[in-house]
Amino acid sequence: MNRILITSFLLLVFYSNAQQSLTLEDCYALANKNYPIAKQIGLLQQKSDYEVEALKTGKLPKVDLNAQGTYQNQVTTIPNPFIEPLNKDQYRVNLDVNQLIYNGGLIDANTKLKETQAKTQQQQVEVNLYQLKARINQLFFSILLLQERKDILVSKQEQLVTKIKEVKSGIQYGAILPASEKVLEAENLKIKQQLSEIKFDKKRLFENLSSLTYTTVPETTTLQKPIIITEETAANNRPELKYFDFQNQQIEASKVVVSKNNLPKINAFGTAGYGNPGLDMINNSFQPIFMVGLRANWNVFDWNKSKAEKDALTVSADIVATERETFLLNNSLQLQEMENEIKKSEEIIKTDIEIIDLRESVEKSANAQLKNGVITTSEYLVEFTNLYEARTNQKLHEIQLALAKANYQVAKGN
């Protein structure tokens, strides 16, 4: 219930007119709420409720109304002149009632099994939904990277436009060659091309994100870069582990059902009706019929069928154990790789900062040399481009680090 309320609140906030930004958690919540397979959780619960309701009717009286009319070529005769022979046509209408008294708790065991099966199937849906997180991460951080690249390109373009104005002024005074302006204009056009590419790439990614979250995410939406703190010592909360637990519970519930199948079953029954002949077979007339009694059944020997079924369930439990062990092993290897990726990105970012500092110094020096006519515009443009490439690389590595941390959290189940 708390999860539904939180999801509804996030949806309300997201769709409000004032909302212009979207977080990674918002995307997770939207996918869990809207993705088609998410509907199966409620449907599986409904299915289980109906099945349990049907099982519980086994505790209620079973009432049957029966009627029959027959004609037979021979009837039982008694060599007594005072007893009238039976009619060859016979009729009977009766109401039969059967009430379960004891069956060793088989209905309750089957009810428990159905409920456990439903939980297992619902958890499988949760596992499938959880796998969407990695895809959402990839799209979310790809869009974030495009946003960062756009900001850098816009800043680069603004600085380039300023530089073009300076060069034009220098051309007018004969300090700079006329061709210098064209070099900068060509670079400006290149930036416009890159901004155009970002625009269409961003549109495509937003469409894909909208498809995964099964909602409309406008292209004007600003994605908020998440602050992710990874905890290597945190417990593994992957939904697959809970799925394995539910499988084991289902196997144990199945064993209980198998055990109770061989317990005695006692039913009370009653019959009331009207027929010709009645219970007095020598009375050749329509008579009322009434009978009550108890019926017991006990399968005392089933040729080891129950044992074989339990042995098969034990093997199933062993299979689940191996699947769990394999999953944990693969997950551990995946987490190790992600930890190395995070540490690598952190080291690279430290170097990025040093590179940018050096590139800024070189660009300032080249700018001064350009103003004094020591170097050409093309030579300056090389250093100018190197500076912005360094800044772009830093943002790329920061996004890669954030993506690696987000994927680590998903792999850990946090």
Side-chain angles (χ1 to χ4, degrees), residues 2-154:
N2 290 335
R3 175 183 169 187
I4 295 174
L5 290 175
I6 292 172
T7 303
S8 301
F9 174 74
L10 289 173
L11 290 171
L12 179 62
V13 172
F14 175 67
Y15 282 115
S16 63
N17 293 330
Q19 180 72 27
Q20 297 295 330
S21 63
L22 186 68
T23 67
L24 185 59
E25 291 296 329
D26 291 336
C27 294
Y28 292 160
L30 288 168
N32 283 336
K33 176 67 176 177
N34 298 330
Y35 205 71
I37 197 175
K39 299 176 184 177
Q40 289 187 8
I41 295 176
L43 294 173
L44 287 169
Q45 187 60 53
Q46 289 181 17
K47 176 175 175 285
S48 176
D49 291 342
Y50 286 131
E51 289 174 340
V52 168
E53 184 181 347
L55 282 172
K56 289 183 176 180
T57 60
K59 295 182 178 181
L60 301 176
K62 181 181 178 183
V63 181
D64 294 316
L65 179 63
N66 300 301
Q68 72 175 29
T70 62
Y71 178 84
Q72 56 197 66
N73 65 335
Q74 286 184 331
V75 293
T76 302
T77 59
I78 298 176
N80 189 325
F82 299 101
I83 298 177
E84 181 181 353
L86 296 177
N87 294 331
K88 292 184 178 180
D89 55 326
Q90 299 181 2
Y91 308 91
R92 173 174 289 194
V93 175
N94 56 280
L95 188 69
D96 295 328
V97 179
N98 283 276
Q99 173 63 57
L100 175 67
I101 296 178
Y102 176 78
N103 69 347
L106 181 60
I107 292 177
D108 291 337
N110 275 309
T111 298
K112 181 67 175 178
L113 176 59
K114 288 294 182 183
E115 291 172 345
T116 308
Q117 286 175 341
K119 290 179 181 178
T120 304
Q121 292 169 344
Q122 287 174 323
Q123 191 61 28
Q124 178 64 68
V125 175
E126 293 284 1
V127 170
N128 293 337
L129 284 174
Y130 194 82
Q131 292 171 354
L132 293 176
K133 283 190 172 183
R135 297 170 62 187
I136 290 174
N137 284 351
Q138 193 63 46
L139 289 172
F140 189 91
F141 287 98
S142 294
I143 295 173
L144 268 181
L145 179 59
L146 290 179
Q147 288 180 175
E148 296 284 3
R149 284 187 58 200
K150 179 184 177 182
D151 292 341
I152 291 175
L153 284 173
V154 169

Side-chain angles (χ1 to χ4, degrees), residues 315-353:
V315 173
S316 296
D318 292 339
I319 292 173
V320 173
T322 59
E323 290 177 348
R324 182 190 182 95
E325 184 179 359
T326 302
F327 171 79
L328 287 173
L329 175 61
N330 291 334
N331 184 246
S332 178
L333 294 173
Q334 184 184 26
L335 289 172
Q336 288 177 9
E337 292 178 359
M338 290 179 174
E339 288 171 9
N340 290 331
E341 188 67 26
I342 289 172
K343 292 176 182 178
K344 181 180 74 174
S345 296
E346 289 173 341
E347 288 297 322
I348 290 175
I349 290 172
K350 291 178 183 178
T351 309
D352 282 331
I353 296 173

Side-chain angles (χ1 to χ4, degrees), residues 48-328:
S48 176
D49 291 342
Y50 286 131
E51 289 174 340
V52 168
E53 184 181 347
L55 282 172
K56 289 183 176 180
T57 60
K59 295 182 178 181
L60 301 176
K62 181 181 178 183
V63 181
D64 294 316
L65 179 63
N66 300 301
Q68 72 175 29
T70 62
Y71 178 84
Q72 56 197 66
N73 65 335
Q74 286 184 331
V75 293
T76 302
T77 59
I78 298 176
N80 189 325
F82 299 101
I83 298 177
E84 181 181 353
L86 296 177
N87 294 331
K88 292 184 178 180
D89 55 326
Q90 299 181 2
Y91 308 91
R92 173 174 289 194
V93 175
N94 56 280
L95 188 69
D96 295 328
V97 179
N98 283 276
Q99 173 63 57
L100 175 67
I101 296 178
Y102 176 78
N103 69 347
L106 181 60
I107 292 177
D108 291 337
N110 275 309
T111 298
K112 181 67 175 178
L113 176 59
K114 288 294 182 183
E115 291 172 345
T116 308
Q117 286 175 341
K119 290 179 181 178
T120 304
Q121 292 169 344
Q122 287 174 323
Q123 191 61 28
Q124 178 64 68
V125 175
E126 293 284 1
V127 170
N128 293 337
L129 284 174
Y130 194 82
Q131 292 171 354
L132 293 176
K133 283 190 172 183
R135 297 170 62 187
I136 290 174
N137 284 351
Q138 193 63 46
L139 289 172
F140 189 91
F141 287 98
S142 294
I143 295 173
L144 268 181
L145 179 59
L146 290 179
Q147 288 180 175
E148 296 284 3
R149 284 187 58 200
K150 179 184 177 182
D151 292 341
I152 291 175
L153 284 173
V154 169
S155 176
K156 180 181 179 182
Q157 190 177 45
E158 290 173 352
Q159 188 172 345
L160 191 62
V161 169
T162 301
K163 184 59 61 180
I164 290 173
K165 291 179 181 179
E166 293 176 1
V167 169
K168 283 183 178 180
S169 177
I171 291 173
Q172 289 178 354
Y173 291 101
I176 300 176
L177 295 174
S180 299
E181 179 186 355
K182 293 182 180 179
V183 172
L184 296 179
E185 288 289 358
E187 182 65 20
N188 190 28
L189 289 174
K190 182 180 178 181
I191 293 175
K192 289 181 179 179
Q193 281 184 335
Q194 292 172 331
L195 287 172
S196 180
E197 289 176 357
I198 288 175
K199 176 183 176 182
F200 286 102
D201 288 343
K202 193 174 178 182
K203 179 178 182 297
R204 173 179 55 81
L205 291 174
F206 265 115
E207 288 174 350
N208 292 340
L209 185 61
S210 296
S211 297
L212 271 185
T213 58
Y214 242 70
T215 188
T216 301
V217 183
E219 295 176 41
T220 55
T221 303
T222 300
L223 302 188
Q224 297 180 11
K225 185 178 179 181
I227 300 175
I228 303 172
I229 301 175
T230 57
E231 298 181 11
E232 296 182 9
T233 57
N236 194 324
N237 295 316
R238 284 290 292 265
E240 289 88 346
L241 298 178
K242 188 176 290 187
Y243 174 67
F244 295 137
D245 291 339
F246 280 131
Q247 281 186 310
N248 285 325
Q249 291 178 22
Q250 182 177 328
I251 290 171
E252 291 303 316
S254 297
K255 287 183 178 180
V256 173
V257 171
V258 172
S259 297
K260 292 185 178 296
N261 272 328
N262 287 334
L263 293 178
K265 299 172 181 60
I266 301 175
N267 289 271
F269 65 91
T271 299
Y274 198 65
N276 181 4
L279 296 178
D280 182 0
M281 295 298 297
I282 63 174
N283 189 339
N284 194 22
S285 63
F286 282 92
Q287 306 167 47
I289 299 171
F290 180 75
M291 180 172 55
V292 293
L294 290 176
R295 182 182 295 113
N297 174 265
W298 188 5
N299 184 9
V300 294
F301 186 70
D302 65 352
W303 303 96
N304 287 329
K305 175 185 176 183
S306 297
K307 181 180 181 302
E309 290 177 345
K310 286 183 179 180
D311 289 343
L313 290 170
T314 300
V315 173
S316 296
D318 292 339
I319 292 173
V320 173
T322 59
E323 290 177 348
R324 182 190 182 95
E325 184 179 359
T326 302
F327 171 79
L328 287 173

